[in-house]
Amino acid sequence: MTLHADQKYDGTIARCVWMQAQSGTPGLQVDIETDDGDLIVHVFWVSKKSLGFFEERMVDFGIKPEQLRNGSFLENELPTALVGLAVSFGTKEETYKEQKRIKVAWIGSRKAPSDERGIGYAVAAMLGGEVNDGKPATKKVEPPLDDSDIPF
């Protein structure tokens, strides 16, 4: 399968390395393998302008803010910490020197349902339902009040 523009894909970070642009700007290159076996490369450039975005993405990927202030962690552990991470990303088409190519438009960690049984169970729980043994959720209802519940 070939990647197309304006699509959402799921994948896994297969490789992660620090790099540096000719201008000297550092970047964190991630090679993402889609669930269909395609490969796309994305670079998180780290400049004063993009620092907030870089930190936001790393925190989304499960990296703690204090780890992002530790040079040893960034140099030695961050690349390996991201390998294997499940991500979702969107694509866009870009033209450079008259050649079109597909690039990553946005990226984030793949969100798991808040209930390991699935999204429907998570939604049922959000609505105040109970889910037992695969039976449909039923909204929790308080028993009706009777005269004995009235304090006077």
Side-chain angles (χ1 to χ4, degrees):
M1 180 178 160
T2 304
L3 297 176
H4 300 284
D6 304 316
Q7 298 293 314
K8 177 188 175 279
Y9 295 94
D10 290 328
T12 304
I13 296 178
R15 180 174 171 258
C16 183
V17 295
W18 284 106
M19 60 175 298
Q20 193 168 24
Q22 289 180 349
S23 64
T25 303
L28 186 64
Q29 177 182 313
V30 292
D31 298 358
I32 306 163
E33 185 175 337
T34 68
D35 290 352
D36 294 326
D38 289 309
L39 189 69
I40 191 166
V41 175
H42 179 65
V43 178
F44 292 99
W45 295 109
V46 186
S47 64
K48 287 183 180 184
K49 185 177 178 181
S50 67
L51 200 55
F53 175 77
F54 176 77
E55 182 174 13
E56 181 182 289
R57 290 298 90 215
M58 294 303 113
V59 169
D60 178 58
F61 291 161
I63 307 302
K64 295 182 174 111
E66 57 271 16
Q67 292 174 305
L68 294 171
R69 284 145 185 80
N70 181 319
S72 176
F73 174 83
L74 291 174
E75 184 69 25
N76 302 307
E77 297 176 49
L78 179 63
T80 56
L82 296 181
V83 170
L85 179 72
V87 297
S88 293
F89 65 95
T91 55
K92 65 180 179 180
E93 184 177 85
E94 187 176 273
T95 302
Y96 180 71
K97 294 188 178 181
E98 299 180 19
Q99 290 189 353
K100 293 182 180 184
R101 64 182 185 154
I102 302 298
K103 292 187 67 173
V104 173
W106 57 266
I107 185 171
S109 63
R110 197 178 316 174
K111 305 298 185 228
S114 58
D115 187 303
E116 66 277 358
R117 295 171 290 182
I119 295 171
Y121 291 95
V123 172
M126 289 170 48
L127 293 170
E130 293 180 20
V131 181
N132 297 317
D133 303 318
K135 295 177 185 171
T138 56
K139 187 155 177 118
K140 290 181 183 176
V141 178
E142 295 295 324
L145 295 176
D146 64 19
D147 289 341
S148 67
D149 293 324
I150 300 173
F152 54 90

